[in-house]
Amino acid sequence: MSVQERKERERASRERLIVATARELAEQQGWDAVTTRRLAERIEYSQPVLYSHFRGKREIIGAVALEGAAEMAAALRAAASGADGRRARVAAVAHAYLGFAERNPAVYDALFQLDGGLAFAQEDTPEPLKDAFAALLETLGEVAGEGVHPALFTELFWSALHGLATLTRAGRLLPEGAEQRLDLLVERLAVL
């Protein structure tokens, strides 16, 4: 292995450590606790080393979001592949989405609430974000209904899931109605 290859491998390893540490700190204490100073202390590198990877917190949030998008896409596809029939697939994807949001609140915030400097719904949208949407579209597109554009339907269904995720987390919805809400969403929006 050349010196250059070793340096590139070490740099990639440091970058993964920064992202993992930021994510862990955000999940434990919230994004306000994630500062470059605290990250530098936790990873035992100087702040200039951290800045050689990311220009600041915004880029770190973006890196966490991209990692989270890839994880979400995998979770959605796994849920869909384990379900039999259109209704079961839609329900499984909806449950997987809400479960991901509940288990990973800081990552979910990085994806959809915070400014990570990422473009959504544009030509220059990063691939992991496009793929997460594609993972929803694969299942939801087949239940959009005649004459309804599958991507438009997927955006609407996704918006409803996002609303459920954020309102539930904020304590704005009664916990005991969670299953009925999800059943209504699946039954009333999807053409099954």
Side-chain angles (χ1 to χ4, degrees), residues 85-144:
R86 290 182 353 162
R87 185 196 189 293
R89 277 191 300 281
V90 172
V93 164
H95 277 282
Y97 183 95
L98 294 175
F100 181 88
E102 183 180 352
R103 287 186 309 280
N104 305 283
V107 173
Y108 192 82
D109 285 349
L111 271 163
F112 303 119
Q113 303 290 96
L114 302 174
D115 179 10
L118 303 173
F120 282 80
Q122 298 175 21
E123 268 189 45
D124 61 341
T125 297
E127 270 315 305
L129 299 179
K130 288 180 181 178
D131 190 50
F133 183 77
L136 284 170
L137 181 61
E138 289 162 11
T139 295
L140 297 173
E142 68 182 41
V143 297

Side-chain angles (χ1 to χ4, degrees), residues 19-40:
V19 171
T21 304
R23 181 177 175 167
E24 178 183 316
L25 186 57
E27 291 292 1
Q28 291 171 352
Q29 300 176 31
W31 278 105
D32 287 342
V34 179
T35 64
T36 54
R37 183 187 58 77
R38 287 185 82 186
L39 283 175

Side-chain angles (χ1 to χ4, degrees), residues 87 89-95 97-98 133 136-137 139-141 143-144 150-164 181-192:
R87 185 196 189 293
R89 277 191 300 281
V90 172
V93 164
H95 277 282
Y97 183 95
L98 294 175
F133 183 77
L136 284 170
L137 181 61
T139 295
L140 297 173
V143 297
L152 187 63
F153 176 78
T154 300
E155 288 174 344
L156 177 65
F157 201 95
W158 170 32
S159 298
L161 289 173
H162 177 69
L164 288 174
R181 278 186 215 96
L182 199 52
D183 286 345
L184 276 171
L185 178 64
V186 170
E187 292 295 330
R188 303 296 173 148
L189 280 185
V191 177
L192 300 170

Side-chain angles (χ1 to χ4, degrees), residues 23-81:
R23 181 177 175 167
E24 178 183 316
L25 186 57
E27 291 292 1
Q28 291 171 352
Q29 300 176 31
W31 278 105
D32 287 342
V34 179
T35 64
T36 54
R37 183 187 58 77
R38 287 185 82 186
L39 283 175
E41 288 171 3
R42 283 206 174 191
I43 65 171
E44 298 177 345
Y45 282 101
S46 67
Q47 282 184 305
V49 169
L50 194 136
Y51 282 117
S52 74
H53 291 273
F54 300 99
R55 286 182 290 207
K57 184 175 177 176
R58 182 178 187 221
E59 284 189 5
I60 294 168
I61 290 169
V64 169
L66 292 176
E67 185 177 272
E71 292 171 11
M72 178 183 277
L76 296 173
R77 286 188 175 106
S81 71

